[in-house]
Amino acid sequence: EEVLRLEGLRKSYNVGQPNEVEVLHGLDLRLEASDFAALVGPSGSGKSTLLNLIGLLDSPTAGELYLRGQPTRAMDDEARTALRGRHIGFVFQFHHLIGAFTALENVLMPWMVAHGKPTPEIVDTARDLLRQVGLERLADRKPGELSGGQQQRVAIARALVTRPALLLADEPTGNLDTKTAAEVFALLRRFNEEFGCAVLVVTHDPRLSETCDRTITLVDGAIVADERHPRQQPGQ
Ligand code: ADP
Ligand code: ADP
């Protein structure tokens, strides 16, 4: 099942100004619901720009981006935001949890932004996600009372509470030690398998990208390689 398709996707910054610069040069890409894909490439190659486009946080200069078959380029901000809220989950390097809220409240946030006051069902779902990331007993703690790895687990549960079709992760392990990073990756993979949620993760760590099904390499705003490989266990 196709989750995402890019066709001739281009992005320029400072359009119409003397310093206009094209940083993505006509990308074609297809992601399936079953994909667990790493996005790699040197600094400045356009990974963040691409993730912002795929996450519907920014719009392309040319080309088209289909999310679950829907063309998105002509959408206004409101439609884009609604589509993002329904289908996309985000995990960032710095987790952006809200310090004044408990872990459970943080997990509920994206759902509340989309739907308002939480129902008993969604609270159950959020608790269940916290259980699945191993934090059932820490649901009432605030982020400041959790370790870095635990905070990133809360962020993953938060990203999944709306059951998105696509999970985008921008260096989600950049801040973590090797062992904790491998655990966070294993969690992402488990949700990819259990929920059929496509995962696209930016990482600089080859030991982690090797555990993905697919590695997409971006250099100077172009996809120079897109390799599928058999799954490996971290550390093998
Ligand atoms: P990466 O995430 O791979 O490091 P980025 O997407 O951040 O790459 O950047 C790709 C290129 O686009 C770089 O040359 C960067 O300087 C440029 N760039 C990023 N954001 C902007 C912006 N807002 N205005 C102008 N240039 C930008
Ligand atoms: P940076 O990587 O530059 O620090 P952030 O990680 O703070 O940027 O976030 C990038 C953008 O994503 C911001 O505009 C932020 O508001 C937005 N954002 C973060 N989380 C979500 C979400 N769950 N849904 C929609 N937009 C989000």
Side-chain angles (χ1 to χ4, degrees):
E1 189 198 347
E2 175 185 291
V3 171
L4 176 81
R5 183 157 40 105
L6 311 182
E7 283 181 2
L9 197 78
R10 292 178 182 273
K11 178 64 184 180
S12 298
Y13 288 112
N14 310 314
V15 173
Q17 293 167 247
N19 57 348
E20 175 169 339
V21 56
E22 187 179 88
V23 301
L24 295 179
H25 311 297
L27 306 187
D28 297 311
L29 183 71
R30 218 181 114 108
L31 280 185
E32 305 285 332
S34 57
D35 276 333
F36 185 89
L39 178 62
V40 305
S43 180
S45 56
K47 302 181 299 296
S48 300
T49 300
L50 179 57
L51 226 57
N52 284 341
L53 293 179
I54 294 175
L56 305 180
L57 297 165
D58 198 359
S59 46
T61 315
E64 188 54 275
L65 188 156
Y66 299 88
L67 188 62
R68 302 183 91 218
Q70 274 193 69
T72 61
R73 191 155 86 90
M75 282 183 175
D76 60 21
D77 283 350
E78 201 180 333
R80 200 186 292 281
T81 301
L83 199 63
R84 177 170 68 227
R86 251 181 288 133
H87 298 310
I88 299 176
F90 294 91
V91 179
F92 301 104
Q93 176 172 5
F94 301 102
H95 50 74
H96 300 295
L97 297 177
I98 298 170
F101 288 0
T102 66
L104 181 67
E105 289 164 345
N106 270 285
V107 172
L108 285 166
M109 269 308 284
W111 190 93
M112 291 171 71
V113 167
H115 305 284
K117 194 170 174 290
T119 60
E121 290 75 22
I122 196 66
V123 174
D124 284 348
T125 298
R127 282 197 186 279
D128 193 50
L129 279 166
L130 282 172
R131 185 184 56 73
Q132 293 190 58
V133 299
L135 295 177
E136 190 174 26
R137 288 155 61 202
L138 304 179
D140 297 324
R141 296 241 186 127
K142 295 191 174 152
E145 301 164 329
L146 300 172
S147 72
Q150 289 170 339
Q151 291 175 0
Q152 202 56 298
R153 285 162 183 267
V154 175
I156 291 171
R158 176 183 59 178
L160 292 166
V161 74
T162 57
R163 291 288 151 98
L166 175 60
L167 181 68
L168 299 177
D170 195 354
E171 300 199 42
T173 60
N175 231 6
L176 305 175
D177 64 73
T178 308
K179 180 164 172 284
T180 311
E183 288 167 2
V184 164
F185 249 67
L187 266 182
L188 292 175
R189 181 156 71 175
R190 205 176 88 208
F191 286 118
N192 162 249
E193 288 172 356
E194 282 182 14
F195 295 172
C197 168
V199 174
L200 181 62
V201 55
V202 173
T203 178
H204 284 296
D205 188 340
R207 282 170 306 183
L208 293 175
S209 60
E210 280 167 11
T211 71
C212 296
D213 300 332
R214 189 172 166 187
T215 302
I216 299 158
T217 308
L218 202 60
V219 175
D220 289 338
I223 293 173
V224 299
D226 183 355
E227 296 164 322
R228 291 178 185 277
H229 35 87
R231 289 186 174 192
Q232 291 179 10
Q233 293 304 316
Q236 261 188 322

